[in-house]
Amino acid sequence: MAITKPQNQSHQYQDVKVLYVEDEVFSREKLLRILNRRFSDVHVAIDGEEGFLLYKQHLPDLIIADIKMNSMSGLEMIQNIRKHNKKAQIIVTTAQDDNETFIHCIDHSVNQFILKPIDLDRFLLAIQKSVQQIQHEKESCKQNLLIRALLETQDHVLFIVEHGHIVDFNHAFSSFTGIEDTNSLHKSNLVANLFVEDPNYFYPKDKENWIDEFFQTEKNYAKVMWKSQTDKQGIYLMKATHNTKDEQILFVCTEISALEEEYKKNEILSSMDPLTRSLNRTKFEDLLSSEIRRSERYNHPFSIILMDIDYFKNVNDYFGHQKGDEVLVTISTIVQQRIRESDVFARWGGNEFILLTPETNSQGAMVLAESIRSLINHFAFPEIGSVTCSFGVAEFSVGKSKRELISEVDQARYQSKIKGRNCVTV
């Protein structure tokens, strides 16, 4: 296949530097005329020693060299070049047609091998293939430089994964992790060791395959908690963009520690009764539903206690709503100081409170309710004096719905009212 020089163009390959090494004068002059018509930057040497000096001086993209020369051989020169450059294109020309020479060329990562006397069409085709590879490498280099520039302009933690290994990252990633180069990432999976185990955030079961687990969630994002090598801890929203063509994954990690803290505060505030600082009814019902599922799964008992303040309307009518609010706050404080951390206490309605007691049967809940009743009964409320409460207790059993359980405890509380108030009914 002959390659002709394009019209109206002095050289076919403007951006490729060539080093041509040949000790035989006739062959050198013949190929040099061909190379000079196609390349604008050609450097010529007569042996391997001179060729290597020219290589270090000009750093050519394409090296064309004979193997047998009087001084340093072409293979020795190629071996030295490969120590500096693994990607340079190398075409070998030789009159030796034997397996040993061919194996030596392979060992020295020679790209193409052409026998003498040189067939011009084959030689031009080899040049074309090498130039295409050089141009591809240069284009990839440009893209990598662009990617690197884009990475460094971002404040977010960014890193790129290829075939399961992190191949690049930005300064923000390095600052947080303390990882300076990608070699350490290949030696050990340091990124996986950054994950902190927390039920609220993504945590891989198998740290060696954390990327696979990340995508098994069928999402391209997850909230993760990371702890750096310097014990700095942060919460990140990790998003992934998968480039299937190049088999690369770009991970973008935005720190959301402040947002998470704000979210938790807002979540707590939204679940609290603003007056009594106990949980509100909506949050209690959510937790009750969860406890029902847990009880049915593990067959663990739990009970609920419903209480309301006796004659609370009279307190508001005679002493005013401000005093009524003070009574609600005081009773909420008394109960919260008496119960366990695992118990769930909420304001159910205007003057009603409800309590969930895990791992507690009805008898245990009755004892707790009675102790709370006694504490309230003996407390001296400023300007008001004595205030009492009526209590209902109900125990959950498998198969009972949430509505049925609440109905039972409400009926028990109502029975306490009928019996004269200030008492506990199971």
Side-chain angles (χ1 to χ4, degrees):
M1 175 181 174
I3 302 176
T4 59
K5 178 180 176 180
Q7 295 180 356
N8 301 324
Q9 185 173 336
S10 58
H11 297 95
Q12 187 173 352
Y13 308 116
Q14 293 282 354
D15 58 345
V16 177
K17 286 192 280 187
V18 179
L19 171 63
Y20 176 42
V21 186
E22 172 65 69
D23 63 344
E24 204 277 317
V25 177
F26 177 76
S27 297
R28 184 170 66 242
E29 290 180 352
K30 179 182 176 182
L31 283 192
L32 186 57
R33 286 194 296 270
I34 296 170
L35 294 173
N36 281 328
R37 286 199 297 268
R38 287 162 175 81
F39 297 94
S40 61
D41 195 351
V42 180
H43 305 277
V44 185
I46 61 172
D47 56 39
E49 189 173 344
E50 184 184 8
F52 186 57
L53 290 173
L54 286 173
Y55 169 79
K56 290 191 292 183
Q57 183 179 352
H58 300 285
L59 299 176
D61 308 295
L62 172 61
I63 296 99
I64 303 168
D66 189 18
I67 289 180
K68 287 288 185 179
M69 285 178 277
N70 293 328
S71 183
M72 181 192 292
S73 73
L75 285 177
E76 287 179 283
M77 181 193 71
I78 291 168
Q79 186 177 13
N80 289 330
I81 288 173
R82 281 299 185 218
K83 292 177 182 178
H84 293 80
N85 190 337
K86 301 291 186 184
K87 294 184 177 181
Q89 285 289 307
I90 299 177
I91 300 174
V92 157
T93 63
T94 181
Q96 294 177 289
D97 184 12
D98 58 83
N99 289 337
E100 186 178 353
T101 301
F102 186 69
I103 290 170
H104 281 317
C105 288
I106 293 175
D107 290 340
H108 290 76
S109 302
V110 169
N111 300 101
Q112 298 185 71
F113 184 89
I114 296 177
L115 288 175
K116 291 181 177 181
I118 294 173
D119 179 274
L120 183 58
D121 287 347
R122 185 176 178 186
F123 178 68
L124 293 176
L125 181 60
I127 287 176
Q128 184 186 50
K129 288 173 64 177
S130 288
V131 168
Q132 287 175 345
Q133 184 61 35
I134 290 166
Q135 290 172 337
H136 173 73
E137 289 290 343
K138 288 187 175 183
E139 186 61 33
S140 296
C141 184
K142 287 180 182 178
Q143 291 179 358
N144 290 336
L145 288 173
L146 177 61
I147 291 171
R148 163 56 49 189
L150 290 172
L151 286 176
E152 294 303 344
T153 59
Q154 301 297 313
D155 293 329
H156 304 309
V157 171
L158 304 179
F159 59 96
I160 297 174
V161 172
E162 188 175 301
H163 302 296
H165 294 291
I166 293 179
V167 295
D168 206 354
F169 50 80
N170 67 347
H171 180 70
F173 176 92
S174 182
S175 296
F176 180 80
T177 63
I179 297 170
E180 297 293 340
D181 60 86
T182 54
N183 291 330
S184 58
L185 292 166
H186 287 267
K187 292 174 184 175
S188 60
N189 204 346
L190 295 178
V191 171
N193 294 332
L194 299 175
F195 289 105
V196 177
E197 187 170 4
D198 189 296
N200 298 312
Y201 303 100
F202 169 78
Y203 184 78
K205 296 178 181 177
D206 180 5
K207 288 187 176 181
E208 292 297 321
N209 297 299
W210 71 268
I211 296 174
D212 293 336
E213 286 190 37
F214 178 89
F215 284 107
Q216 284 172 6
T217 62
E218 297 184 354
K219 296 178 181 178
N220 67 339
Y221 65 91
K223 287 195 289 187
V224 302
M225 183 179 288
W226 271 0
K227 190 173 186 179
S228 73
Q229 308 295 317
T230 57
D231 285 340
K232 176 187 174 185
Q233 189 161 299
I235 299 165
Y236 289 82
L237 179 64
M238 178 186 286
K239 293 184 179 181
T241 303
H242 205 156
N243 183 348
T244 53
K245 180 182 177 182
D246 296 327
E247 297 188 18
Q248 288 187 339
I249 309 167
L250 171 64
F251 285 92
V252 181
C253 307
T254 306
E255 187 170 11
I256 56 171
S257 301
L259 289 174
E260 280 290 281
E261 189 67 28
E262 191 67 25
Y263 171 77
K264 288 177 181 178
K265 288 180 182 177
N266 291 336
E267 187 179 37
I268 291 171
L269 290 174
S270 66
S271 64
M272 300 290 287
D273 174 59
L275 176 64
T276 62
R277 309 305 296 169
S278 58
L279 294 178
N280 59 31
R281 180 167 181 158
T282 301
K283 185 63 177 180
F284 181 88
E285 291 204 45
D286 289 342
L287 295 174
L288 177 59
S289 298
S290 298
E291 188 63 25
I292 287 173
R293 290 193 296 271
R294 193 180 77 89
S295 179
E296 288 179 333
R297 181 176 181 181
Y298 299 107
N299 197 28
H300 289 180
F302 79 88
S303 300
I304 59 174
I305 301 169
L306 182 63
M307 56 179 281
D308 72 5
I309 303 170
D310 297 327
Y311 303 113
F312 185 67
K313 185 177 182 300
N314 292 343
V315 174
N316 282 331
D317 289 344
Y318 295 137
F319 299 98
H321 287 278
Q322 183 175 343
K323 284 295 177 184
D325 288 348
E326 290 177 8
V327 169
L328 291 170
V329 171
T330 301
I331 287 178
S332 174
T333 303
I334 291 172
V335 176
Q336 291 187 67
Q337 289 179 344
R338 171 62 183 84
I339 61 178
R340 305 168 299 179
E341 286 188 14
S342 59
D343 296 332
V344 178
F345 181 64
R347 187 178 181 186
W348 190 245
N351 65 317
E352 298 175 328
F353 295 94
I354 194 164
L355 182 60
L356 186 156
T357 58
E359 309 291 337
T360 307
N361 60 23
S362 58
Q363 292 303 308
M366 183 188 70
V367 172
L368 175 61
E370 178 59 34
S371 69
I372 294 171
R373 183 204 66 77
S374 178
L375 285 170
I376 295 171
N377 186 43
H378 290 92
F379 186 85
F381 291 83
E383 299 183 28
I384 297 173
S386 177
V387 173
T388 63
C389 294
S390 298
F391 294 77
V393 175
E395 181 180 345
F396 175 77
S397 58
V398 176
K400 191 178 295 184
S401 69
K402 181 169 71 173
R403 179 178 294 180
E404 290 170 338
L405 180 64
I406 292 173
S407 176
E408 284 183 10
V409 77
D410 188 52
Q411 290 174 27
R413 188 274 314 263
Y414 180 68
Q415 288 298 318
S416 292
K417 293 288 188 184
I418 292 176
K419 288 189 290 185
R421 295 178 172 79
N422 193 24
C423 63
V424 178
T425 302
V426 179

